[in-house]
Amino acid sequence: MFTVYPSEEDVFSWTQYCTVDQTEVVILGQDPYHGPFQAHGLSFSVLPGAPIPQRLKNIFKELGEEYPATTIFQQPSHGYLKGWAEQGVLMLNSVLTVRGGFAESHKGQGWEQFTDAVLAYLNNIKNGLVFVLSGADAQKKWRLFDNERHLVLTSSHPSTQSAYKGFSTCRHFSQINAYLQANGK
């Protein structure tokens, strides 16, 4: 017997916090965090009370550098991003489950077909979305999107091993805000 994250009731929580109609930005992650009290169905987010993972700290650091001392971003003391989802940020992982303690353990088991279909659906039924593809696996999804109708941003992954390869200077958040404002959102 082994543990799978997130819990069964949280695997599809990304659909509860941000509906298709609400979606303005899609942040694509790889797979859920594989430690206890972390994964809850939103990419990069952790449950209340869990320590903030380094990749999320790197996201917060980038936001802080793009918006220093402003009301747009103030670094929270937690890593629970449900509030982002409720504002129209769909935080979707390519793989929706993982075996506890084993990153990418459910990769290649079928989730990618499902989440690719979700991404393709969003691409087809909406206009003016922003797709954020951080990391090599996420960047492979670019083929799913119409770059004429949507903004597709790519960078290295925000993990400790990759953030310095481009994520730390990508300035995606200001590009997202500028695009949304230019499109009346």
Side-chain angles (χ1 to χ4, degrees), residues 17-182:
Y17 301 133
C18 183
T19 67
V20 169
D21 289 341
Q22 294 171 310
T23 301
E24 301 295 342
V25 177
V26 178
I27 296 179
L28 186 63
Q30 294 179 170
D31 65 343
Y33 295 117
H34 54 87
F37 310 110
Q38 292 180 316
H40 65 98
L42 302 180
S43 64
F44 298 104
S45 181
V46 292
L47 287 167
I52 300 172
Q54 188 58 49
R55 66 189 70 165
L56 184 52
K57 286 181 183 178
N58 288 340
I59 291 171
F60 288 163
K61 181 179 177 188
E62 177 65 16
L63 268 162
E65 289 176 4
E66 288 188 61
Y67 296 105
T70 67
T71 58
I72 293 175
F73 177 73
Q74 296 175 359
Q75 182 163 335
S77 59
H78 59 83
Y80 187 51
L81 303 180
K82 178 183 172 189
W84 288 14
E86 292 171 338
Q87 294 178 58
V89 180
L90 180 66
M91 292 178 288
L92 177 66
N93 281 312
S94 293
V95 176
L96 300 183
T97 59
V98 67
R99 183 175 177 176
F102 297 93
E104 298 186 351
S105 54
H106 291 175
K107 183 177 181 178
Q109 303 296 313
W111 280 126
E112 296 91 341
Q113 293 169 322
F114 174 76
T115 55
D116 281 2
V118 169
L119 294 168
Y121 178 76
L122 288 168
N123 173 73
N124 291 332
I125 68 155
K126 297 206 60 147
N127 287 311
L129 290 177
V130 179
F131 292 95
V132 181
L133 311 177
S134 299
D137 285 344
Q139 289 177 30
K140 292 175 187 172
K141 307 289 184 185
W142 69 268
R143 63 179 168 68
L144 298 172
F145 311 114
D146 181 342
N147 290 303
E148 307 260 332
R149 294 181 25 242
H150 306 290
L151 175 63
V152 181
L153 300 172
T154 62
S155 72
S156 64
H157 195 272
S159 69
T160 305
Q161 298 84 0
S162 300
Y164 71 93
K165 295 178 183 176
F167 178 81
S168 296
T169 58
C170 67
R171 303 299 181 248
H172 280 175
F173 300 103
S174 55
Q175 291 177 63
I176 291 168
N177 283 339
Y179 181 81
L180 293 175
Q181 288 174 351

